[in-house]
Amino acid sequence: MAFDIEMIKKVYGTMAERVDKARELVGRPLTLSEKILYSHLWEGTPSQAFSRGKDYVDFAPDRVACQDATAQMALLQFMHAGKKTVAVPTTVHCDHLIQAKVGATTDLAVANSQSKEVFDFLSSVSNKYGIGFWKPGSGIIHQIVLENYAFPGGMMIGTDSHTVNAGGLGMLAIGVGGADAVDVMSGMSWELKFPKLIGVKLTGKLNGWTAPKDVILKVADILTVKGGTGAIVEYFGEGAINMSCTGKGTICNMGAEIGATTSTFGYDDSMRRYLAATGRQDVVDAADKVADYLTGDAEVYANPSQYFDELIEINLSELEPHINGPFTPDRGTPVSKMKEEATKNGWPLKVEWGLIGSCTNSSYEDMARAASIVEQAVAHGISPKAEFGINPGSEQIRYTIERDGIIATFEKMGTKVFTNACGPCIGQWDREGADKGEKNTIVHSFNRNFSKRADGNPNTHAFVTSPEMVAALAISGDLSFNPITDTLLNDKGEAVKLNPPTGDELPKRGFDVEDAGFQAPAEDGSNVQVAVSPTSDRLQLLAPFDAWDGKNISGAKLLIKAFGKCTTDHISMAGPWLRFRGHLDNISNNMLIGAVNAYNQEANKVKNQLTGEYAAVPAVARAYKAAGVPSIVVGDQNYGEGSSREHAAMEPRFLGVKAVLVKSFARIHETNLKKQGMLALTFANEADYDKIKEDDTINFLDLTEFAPGKPLTLEFVHADGSKDIILANHTYNESQIGWFVAGSALNLIAANA
């Protein structure tokens, strides 16, 4: 039986009435995305139609999921909310704090020792507040959600940008910061600007070497890393129906890389098969009763250009395998063009590592198809030219692929089987030799490939592709190898051409597992004690941020003017810094250390205007804070893209940054800044970015008149006494201004409690 089946039945019980009313109010057929949105309004039955991209709307998500790195801060905040238990089903998943180095058994033991304090904290908090807890080694949050919790037509939020993976089972699953999760866990509504809609019509059928991963790699190439901002991507068509459920999950997962609010597919037989195979026939039975409400109306898919704000069409029968990168997931190259592109750009052709796994591609089907390539190489006497590693998505996946001989196949090539965890995908990889900083190429089936993300080496050229292509490229050791046309030499000197990959969508003998790693919470957690040592360097109880004093901010110093791409990895790095995710003071020592200073083109070297000397960004911020001097950060386009980590907002807030002024924001980061009581502003004229000088002092001229729809006026005073007046736009509504006034959204929750 499924977790929370009664909740799921309740959602389905009101869906028809709410969707029918929404269709009446909107006055036209509805997309699947609209059906889920309108059936999850905080008010219940809809009473008005909303404007896409304009109206802020309150929603009632069905559940919340948190991974261990973000759960620490989310739960530290929830402890301030004054609640006895969570208001909606919530889970915590320990998958980020396990480093890949030797292999699963050793690496997991090391993590359990090094992070025992954090795991014990998360376990006890979960036990106390009615939260399901998935132990270290149980698997990657998004794979576990897909296997156990996701259901067609549902809405969930999660403290990880790849929460969107659950769209593979027809959900609207949305990545948020911890403060948003705390709202919902506390029984409050969750606010979102009603999204625009991008339709992706898939025709034909995947064949040969082409995989579901290639669909989203192509879409990313088309839309770029910010092309989906403020929109839901809805996939439909015969090509969608012909695809596996976990393949759909892969596509939705990487929707985070185009900035999309989320992505989803309509309910179909692939979802029925997957739900049944993962022990949730009861969900199938319930969903089938409202099946017409769990996909877009027929008229929408027949004439999609009339119902979507943007439409993309992809013929899967003609789609070529893609390899995206390096350094950005939206730079797409068809495999047939890679040799030309790599040569032209000076990318290293020798592949050093092939990595399969992450929340994006760690399903049974992914592992089986990649293993089919390895099996061929072994049978033909072909030795791999690159090192190889895999991360199974869950203990259920690992146990099943071990039973079915898939792990044994990988091990014939010396593959390292890492823990069922994120590992190298998030920088949790102790890669031998990475500290040398040598220029090299790796290929992986992950979702992100920003500079330094996987191994900390800025010269590692990471390319994103499908698991089967990772296998082929790792075996060949050549980035330009095209398995569709090229051959490999075996140990006899014979030319061998690999056959296209094969692999079962679901295990023929069903899934199996001895211990999935789940810990149910205490029925009554009131007596459970949660202890945080005051001397801990891993965990720190939070103190509320100060409320606004009601005055204009004046005398602020420019902390940094970030140049070019500035992701949440640049603002708050992961990797070794993950160990401090529950200690705001300690982790603030990584604030903006990866951002490039526009004035000297160096990272982590900015001018301290109090001394005239250059120092690390956190050190300068602490100097300003100690002197009672406010500061601001200036940034470029799509500032804060990438992971949902709210630390990228909490750290500047903690170190005295009052405002972030940029050309444009990624959605989650903008919301995170607002939630923490900061000013998230955009240039009314992007060219004003160039007017800001290194020695500027900033005065807000009309913050006392802060109001929805009214730009703010900032005075930039240059070192020579000259001034530039700059207009800054914002998207704050009345309630969000309330967060700023109170000092943070959490301050308001605590006051109400």
Side-chain angles (χ1 to χ4, degrees):
M1 186 179 81
F3 286 95
D4 311 309
I5 186 62
E6 294 307 316
M7 176 270 284
I8 295 171
K9 289 179 178 178
K10 184 178 178 182
V11 171
Y12 290 159
T14 60
M15 182 163 278
E17 176 189 356
R18 294 181 178 184
V19 171
D20 289 344
K21 184 62 177 178
R23 194 184 287 112
E24 175 189 324
L25 291 167
V26 175
R28 56 168 174 76
L30 299 177
T31 65
L32 168 62
S33 303
E34 290 171 315
K35 290 180 181 181
I36 300 176
L37 291 168
Y38 277 107
S39 65
H40 283 83
L41 298 176
W42 181 253
E43 65 178 323
T45 302
S47 60
Q48 68 178 100
F50 296 104
S51 298
R52 298 177 190 168
K54 295 181 180 179
D55 292 333
Y56 279 96
V57 182
D58 289 333
F59 292 100
D62 302 313
R63 67 176 313 109
V64 175
C66 309
Q67 40 93 335
D68 51 351
T70 53
Q72 296 171 63
M73 199 58 71
L75 293 178
L76 285 166
Q77 292 178 84
F78 181 75
M79 290 169 67
H80 278 278
K83 304 294 182 180
K84 292 184 177 180
T85 187
V86 290
V88 301
T90 302
T91 52
V92 166
H93 305 258
C94 295
D95 62 357
H96 274 55
L97 299 178
I98 305 167
Q99 189 177 57
K101 182 178 182 179
V102 178
T105 302
T106 300
D107 295 346
L108 181 57
V110 170
N112 276 322
S113 173
Q114 291 181 342
S115 295
K116 184 179 187 301
E117 179 185 15
V118 173
F119 294 147
D120 287 349
F121 166 73
L122 294 174
S123 174
S124 62
V125 173
S126 298
N127 206 23
K128 182 175 183 64
Y129 293 109
I131 298 168
F133 180 71
W134 290 83
K135 302 173 186 177
S138 60
I140 304 171
I141 174 173
H142 310 305
Q143 180 66 34
I144 288 180
V145 166
L146 200 71
E147 291 178 3
N148 296 276
Y149 300 110
F151 65 98
M155 174 185 278
M156 69 174 286
I157 60 171
T159 60
D160 189 286
S161 58
H162 293 104
T163 300
V164 295
N165 188 80
L169 254 176
M171 289 195 91
L172 288 190
I174 302 169
V176 299
D180 275 351
V182 170
D183 282 356
V184 177
M185 292 158 65
S186 301
M188 299 172 63
S189 61
W190 173 64
E191 184 185 66
L192 177 73
K193 184 180 285 187
F194 205 81
K196 294 183 178 181
L197 299 177
I198 297 173
V200 179
K201 182 178 181 179
L202 302 178
T203 60
K205 188 175 183 178
L206 294 171
N207 62 86
W209 282 87
T210 309
K213 185 66 163 258
D214 297 305
V215 176
I216 185 58
L217 294 179
K218 179 66 175 178
V219 170
D221 188 45
I222 294 170
L223 289 177
T224 77
V225 290
K226 65 176 184 175
T229 302
I232 293 175
V233 182
E234 185 172 323
Y235 294 84
F236 61 94
E238 61 172 329
I241 294 170
N242 290 332
M243 200 179 295
S244 69
C245 179
T246 52
K248 292 177 171 71
T250 291
I251 292 170
C252 292
N253 181 292
M254 266 196 74
E257 273 52 73
I258 57 172
T261 301
T262 190
S263 303
T264 194
F265 286 78
Y267 182 50
D268 62 16
D269 283 342
S270 73
M271 297 182 190
R272 291 183 177 94
R273 293 192 299 271
Y274 186 75
L275 286 165
T278 50
R280 292 176 285 172
Q281 183 61 44
D282 46 358
V283 177
V284 176
D285 296 340
D288 281 346
K289 294 176 183 177
V290 290
D292 289 345
Y293 293 90
L294 303 178
T295 189
D297 287 335
E299 298 92 333
V300 170
Y301 295 157
N303 299 286
S305 60
Q306 297 180 26
Y307 301 98
F308 291 98
D309 298 292
E310 185 175 353
L311 181 64
I312 296 171
E313 293 192 32
I314 299 175
N315 184 340
L316 301 185
S317 300
E318 299 174 354
L319 182 63
E320 188 177 347
H322 274 58
I323 304 169
N324 283 28
F327 306 129
T328 186
D330 61 345
R331 182 171 185 166
T333 303
V335 63
S336 63
K337 305 288 186 185
M338 179 50 78
K339 185 172 185 178
E340 175 187 342
E341 281 296 304
T343 302
K344 180 175 67 178
N345 291 285
W347 301 334
L349 288 177
K350 182 183 177 184
V351 175
E352 306 280 354
W353 266 91
L355 297 157
I356 295 172
S358 88
C359 59
T360 321
N361 282 106
S362 55
S363 68
Y364 185 91
E365 181 182 35
D366 291 327
M367 296 296 173
R369 284 174 63 86
S372 75
I373 304 305
V374 173
E375 189 69 62
Q376 289 183 62
V378 171
H380 288 289
I382 300 171
S383 299
K385 302 299 189 295
E387 294 190 75
F388 217 135
I390 64 170
N391 287 80
S394 69
E395 175 57 14
Q396 178 169 266
I397 295 292
R398 189 211 63 79
Y399 189 93
T400 305
I401 65 175
E402 182 177 54
R403 180 202 67 190
D404 292 351
I406 292 173
I407 285 184
T409 295
F410 279 117
E411 289 178 335
K412 290 174 185 176
M413 277 205 155
T415 302
K416 283 189 177 182
V417 181
F418 296 124
T419 314
N420 315 317
C422 302
C425 180
I426 58 163
Q428 282 286 54
W429 185 22
D430 188 355
R431 181 185 177 189
E432 186 177 350
D435 56 337
K436 297 178 181 178
E438 295 175 342
K439 187 176 180 180
N440 74 103
T441 283
I442 65 173
V443 293
H444 59 58
S445 69
F446 308 159
N447 38 50
R448 294 192 175 133
N449 56 348
F450 304 142
S451 175
K452 299 194 283 188
R453 182 174 174 90
D455 62 3
N457 178 3
N459 296 313
T460 292
H461 291 54
F463 293 86
V464 183
T465 189
S466 68
E468 39 270 76
M469 282 297 299
V470 169
L473 294 174
I475 290 166
S476 72
D478 183 358
L479 183 65
S480 67
F481 175 68
N482 182 353
I484 301 172
T485 59
D486 299 345
T487 58
L488 298 170
L489 290 180
N490 66 8
D491 53 7
K492 298 177 183 177
E494 300 166 335
V496 176
K497 190 168 184 294
L498 297 173
N499 293 321
T502 59
D504 292 330
E505 171 187 320
L506 297 164
K508 287 187 173 71
R509 296 163 55 195
F511 286 106
D512 201 359
V513 67
E514 285 186 349
D515 179 7
F518 176 71
Q519 172 187 294
E523 293 210 8
D524 180 3
S526 57
N527 293 321
V528 176
Q529 297 298 312
V530 179
V532 175
S533 169
T535 60
S536 172
D537 68 351
R538 299 290 300 272
L539 297 166
Q540 179 186 49
L541 294 176
L542 295 174
F545 290 129
D546 292 335
W548 179 45
D549 63 7
K551 302 176 182 177
N552 280 318
I553 297 169
S554 60
K557 300 299 184 183
L558 177 68
L559 178 61
I560 186 173
K561 177 175 162 181
F563 175 80
K565 185 186 283 284
C566 191
T567 72
T568 49
D569 274 26
H570 294 91
I571 304 168
S572 176
M573 287 184 176
W577 290 96
L578 285 172
R579 66 190 307 269
F580 298 123
R581 283 284 180 87
H583 198 294
L584 184 55
D585 194 1
N586 283 346
I587 199 169
S588 292
N589 289 322
N590 79 358
M591 185 191 74
L592 284 158
I593 64 175
V596 175
N597 182 355
Y599 302 108
N600 58 19
Q601 294 298 303
E602 293 186 55
N604 203 26
K605 187 177 181 181
V606 296
K607 188 173 185 178
N608 180 338
Q609 293 191 50
L610 303 180
T611 65
E613 298 176 349
Y614 285 84
V617 183
V620 174
R622 288 183 186 276
Y624 290 154
K625 181 181 179 181
V629 176
S631 60
I632 80 163
V633 169
V634 172
D636 214 317
Q637 296 280 6
N638 207 33
Y639 184 88
E641 73 172 89
S643 299
S644 68
R645 65 191 67 151
E646 65 182 341
H647 300 77
M650 295 186 77
E651 292 173 34
R653 180 74 167 100
F654 179 72
L655 293 184
V657 176
K658 300 298 183 182
V660 179
L661 174 63
V662 301
K663 293 180 181 179
S664 65
F665 282 108
R667 175 189 63 86
I668 298 176
H669 187 63
E670 180 183 20
T671 300
N672 285 345
L673 290 169
K674 291 179 178 181
K675 285 279 185 175
Q676 299 305 332
M678 294 184 69
L679 293 169
L681 310 173
T682 56
F683 290 100
N685 179 6
E686 290 185 3
D688 286 343
Y689 171 91
D690 297 323
K691 295 179 180 178
I692 296 171
K693 309 300 181 185
E694 188 173 29
D695 296 305
D696 280 355
T697 298
I698 303 99
N699 302 309
F700 284 73
L701 304 183
D702 52 6
L703 185 58
T704 53
E705 301 166 26
F706 193 17
K710 183 179 185 296
L712 292 173
T713 309
L714 282 67
E715 178 185 66
F716 284 77
V717 183
H718 309 308
D720 62 1
S722 63
K723 301 176 181 179
D724 274 304
I725 303 297
I726 289 176
L727 208 59
N729 293 332
H730 65 83
T731 60
Y732 287 76
N733 58 28
E734 288 287 359
S735 63
Q736 293 169 346
I737 290 175
W739 302 341
F740 171 74
V741 171
S744 72
L746 181 60
N747 286 358
L748 280 183
I749 294 176
N752 292 336

